[in-house]
Amino acid sequence: MSELTWQILRATDFTVVENAAASWATYIQTALEIEDDVLKDIDVLRDGSTDFEGTSADALRANVQGTVGDYIEGLGLYADPITRILRAVQEDLTVKKQDLADLFAEAGVELVAAGGIGEERFDIATQGPNDYHYTGGSNNAEQQNERFRLIERAEILTDEFLAIMADARDIDDTYAAALRALNDDAEPLPPRIGEPDYATRTAEYYAEQYQEFLDRVESGEASPTETYGLWSSLSPEDQAQLLTDRPELLGNTDGIPSQVRHDANIAMLTDYVATHPHDDDASGLLQKVNDENLMLLGFTPESMEVDGRDATHHDMQCIVATGDPDAADNIAIYIPGVGSDEDWTEAMAKAGTETYVDYAQNLTDAAESQDPAANNVTVMWLGYDAPGSFAEGYSQEYAEEGGERLDQFTTGISATNQASDANITQIGHSYGSTVTGYADQTGDTSDADQVVLIGSPGPGNEVDSAADFNVGGEDVYVSMSDNDPINAADDVVLGADTTDSELFPQRVDGGDGNHMQYFTDSDSLDNLGLIITDQGEQATRYDPS
């Protein structure tokens, strides 16, 4: 139970609490910078380093990565919540302190505060026998009336006094409980090389880490960032064993390094094609990835789920990257729309999934032309069940589910990326722009740096304008060709009109093509290349004339 008194609330300078929160925030930032210095800037500690090879090198790398990974995970579990709690304490109690100051000002010199916890009150000031505030006896009617007025006023302000202090103590209790709830038993760090019983303790440590990884990842409890920390804490031998034994767990789990996801998915896809030789979509995907040296970051085969009389059909889902996102400076995540997962070669009288992979390569080429010194990668993301028809495209249910998955994928890519400050752009085309809108609104923040809504029927009902996006309104770009049938539609069915310049002021030139030509039209690609490489301010703006 809080022992906060009105005297303490009135006298406390809560900027010291904000300073404590700022210190924790600085601590977190410094630790993240050290993580970059240790794991990303020291070449011999990177996986695959040719300057430090062998069993001992792998063991040392695993030890350092495990230590740093557990340390950073601990920051997320403890330091970050402490920072948020301290800032909330400072903000909420500062408000109550101001409420108390206003109340005291209203009381003036006629009333004085008194009483302990839960008994706060205002008494009439006693100043002397010749003062009308004097509380002693008097037969003067005017003085008696004045005294009754003060008593009534004191009762009213006392009620406010009690309410303010009750609220302040509730705040104190709530945040104290939140701090106590944080488990102060930090996760153990790996044994240090050279300490007694190092081999035995290391084996025990990695066995515990292995089981924790399985428990939290299989249950879906771990976030993508936590998953990456858990993966990094495993020994190289355990990582290799998981890749062999559980490719289905690793291939589609966000937060697993991209190369591991690729290896797992290639293993699953190869086995699947061998046992389903007539699945042309899967065979085409495997050949495309192998022939063009692409990375397969996600694969779910076509399936039919039957529940009683109801049957649910899911087309093949795949996530294909033009390179390794974990090594990229600029990452574009391209999200196609209606019918994009229906067929590998052609669907609904338009391009099939293979063409969308080609579009991803076009985006990478466009980025290369704008920033050839950077490592640019595009991910064709079909990690959701896209609407199978234009009629289904009127529903936002596909976008809501897909948006949550896209947000998780983006967070995972941000966690596994080894560049010091990678730039991530989500590019939603057609119904994919609706998915992108929902992804941005999943949670209070977004790991994307900017989004592009192309040929958009609307970004979903969660946003009314670019200003509502978590990435920030200045980083929401719109591209719509005058020859796009969606541009000529009488109404927008999936949210706000992205061509409304007041709602979405960052509209760039989408070229002269139709709805499916944004990724082949040179003017459109030039602008997309600039946005992907974080040069969006140089993109040519749409000219309605």
Side-chain angles (χ1 to χ4, degrees):
M1 191 71 178
S2 172
E3 297 182 0
L4 180 63
T5 66
W6 63 266
Q7 294 94 334
I8 293 175
L9 179 61
R10 192 180 185 193
T12 300
D13 180 2
F14 289 104
T15 57
V16 297
V17 182
E18 170 56 32
N19 292 340
S23 296
W24 276 100
T26 301
Y27 174 57
I28 294 171
Q29 184 58 40
T30 300
L32 293 174
E33 290 172 358
I34 292 173
E35 179 192 25
D36 283 345
D37 291 341
V38 172
L39 296 185
K40 298 180 181 180
D41 295 338
I42 301 178
D43 184 67
V44 295
L45 293 179
R46 294 181 181 179
D47 288 330
S49 172
T50 57
D51 295 329
F52 188 37
E53 299 178 302
T55 304
S56 297
D58 290 341
L60 177 61
R61 264 191 291 271
N63 186 274
V64 173
Q65 290 172 355
T67 301
V68 174
D70 283 352
Y71 188 74
I72 297 302
E73 183 183 359
L75 285 177
L77 293 175
Y78 304 105
D80 188 52
I82 289 173
T83 303
R84 294 198 305 270
I85 291 170
L86 289 176
R87 284 181 170 153
V89 168
Q90 186 272 333
E91 181 178 335
D92 291 353
L93 287 182
T94 296
V95 169
K96 290 304 166 184
K97 179 181 178 181
Q98 185 59 51
D99 290 344
L100 190 64
D102 294 342
L103 185 67
F104 276 44
E106 185 178 351
V109 297
E110 298 176 334
L111 303 175
V112 294
I117 293 175
E119 298 178 350
E120 294 86 0
R121 67 182 186 278
F122 281 106
D123 292 336
I124 301 172
T126 302
Q127 298 184 350
N130 297 321
D131 193 287
Y132 69 86
H133 300 310
Y134 178 57
T135 59
S138 173
N139 292 323
N140 185 292
E142 182 178 345
Q143 289 183 350
Q144 288 290 348
N145 289 337
E146 180 63 20
R147 184 169 181 273
F148 291 147
R149 182 188 68 81
L150 289 174
I151 291 173
E152 182 179 6
R153 186 158 167 259
E155 290 175 348
I156 293 173
L157 295 186
T158 291
D159 288 340
E160 295 182 33
F161 197 180
L162 288 166
I164 289 172
M165 291 309 303
D167 287 346
R169 281 190 285 270
D170 283 345
I171 292 169
D172 191 24
D173 283 335
T174 298
Y175 290 123
L179 286 170
R180 284 194 297 269
L182 293 175
N183 186 350
D184 56 3
D185 295 326
E187 293 291 328
L189 295 177
R192 290 174 295 177
I193 294 176
E195 69 180 58
D197 298 324
Y198 170 76
T200 301
R201 293 189 59 198
T202 297
E204 293 172 350
Y205 169 81
Y206 281 129
E208 292 173 359
Q209 297 301 108
Y210 184 86
Q211 191 57 52
E212 183 180 9
F213 177 87
L214 288 178
D215 291 344
R216 297 188 63 195
V217 173
E218 283 186 311
S219 67
E221 175 188 345
S223 70
T225 302
E226 291 169 341
T227 295
Y228 179 61
L230 290 167
W231 173 262
S232 299
S233 72
L234 300 177
S235 69
E237 293 79 11
D238 285 342
Q239 290 176 349
Q241 194 64 48
L242 275 171
L243 183 57
T244 300
D245 296 343
R246 299 296 304 276
E248 80 289 348
L249 177 64
L250 304 182
N252 293 306
T253 296
D254 299 316
I256 298 297
S258 295
Q259 184 62 56
V260 177
R261 292 183 69 162
H262 170 76
D263 292 341
N265 284 309
I266 285 296
M268 286 193 296
L269 179 56
T270 301
D271 289 345
Y272 179 82
V273 168
T275 56
H276 298 77
H278 300 297
D279 189 331
D280 294 336
D281 292 351
S283 297
L285 173 63
L286 181 61
Q287 182 175 348
K288 182 84 169 178
V289 170
N290 287 335
D291 288 353
E292 300 185 16
N293 197 28
L294 304 172
M295 292 192 73
L296 185 60
L297 305 184
F299 167 67
T300 303
E302 181 178 13
S303 65
M304 179 73 75
E305 298 177 4
V306 180
D307 182 11
R309 295 184 177 181
D310 297 325
T312 303
H313 174 254
H314 296 281
D315 293 300
M316 182 184 74
Q317 296 175 15
C318 61
I319 304 172
V320 182
T322 60
D324 186 354
D326 295 353
D329 302 303
N330 298 305
I331 305 166
I333 304 174
Y334 159 50
I335 308 98
V338 172
S340 50
D341 58 357
E342 287 289 300
D343 190 84
W344 180 248
T345 55
E346 182 177 331
M348 298 170 59
K350 62 185 182 71
T353 306
E354 181 179 21
T355 300
Y356 299 115
V357 177
D358 292 335
Y359 288 170
Q361 186 60 59
N362 292 351
L363 287 169
T364 297
D365 293 342
E368 294 284 351
S369 68
Q370 302 296 348
D371 189 358
N375 186 345
N376 304 293
V377 171
T378 301
V379 180
M380 192 287 296
W381 188 84
L382 263 177
Y384 79 114
D385 185 27
S389 66
F390 293 118
E392 290 181 348
Y394 281 88
S395 170
Q396 299 194 32
E397 292 182 7
Y398 297 90
E400 291 184 54
E401 180 183 349
E404 185 173 338
R405 292 185 182 184
L406 174 59
D407 178 68
Q408 291 284 296
F409 177 80
T410 305
T411 299
I413 288 296
S414 177
T416 60
N417 179 267
Q418 299 298 299
S420 58
D421 188 23
N423 183 63
I424 301 177
T425 306
Q426 292 174 344
I427 301 176
H429 176 225
S430 192
Y431 191 88
S433 69
T434 313
V435 176
T436 302
Y438 274 104
D440 178 89
Q441 294 298 295
T442 300
D444 298 325
T445 60
S446 171
D447 283 290
D449 295 287
Q450 56 261 327
V451 302
V452 189
L453 310 175
I454 300 179
S456 176
N461 291 335
E462 297 294 318
V463 293
D464 295 323
S465 68
D468 294 332
F469 276 71
N470 283 321
V471 297
E474 70 279 1
D475 289 313
V476 178
Y477 296 90
V478 169
S479 179
M480 178 76 81
S481 168
D482 287 337
N483 295 320
D484 190 326
I486 289 182
N487 190 41
D490 293 333
D491 59 349
V492 179
V493 297
L494 297 176
D497 183 358
T498 61
T499 63
D500 186 329
S501 59
E502 293 186 1
L503 300 178
F504 294 88
Q506 297 276 45
R507 182 175 175 182
V508 300
D509 183 9
D512 298 323
N514 59 34
H515 187 65
M516 295 303 298
Q517 293 177 321
Y518 293 99
F519 306 102
T520 56
D521 182 281
S522 60
D523 292 334
S524 173
L525 282 171
D526 284 345
N527 284 329
L528 292 173
L530 286 167
I531 296 170
I532 292 169
T533 56
D534 200 20
Q535 303 176 76
E537 72 282 354
Q538 299 181 32
T540 304
R541 266 40 184 185
Y542 171 72
D543 183 359
S545 63

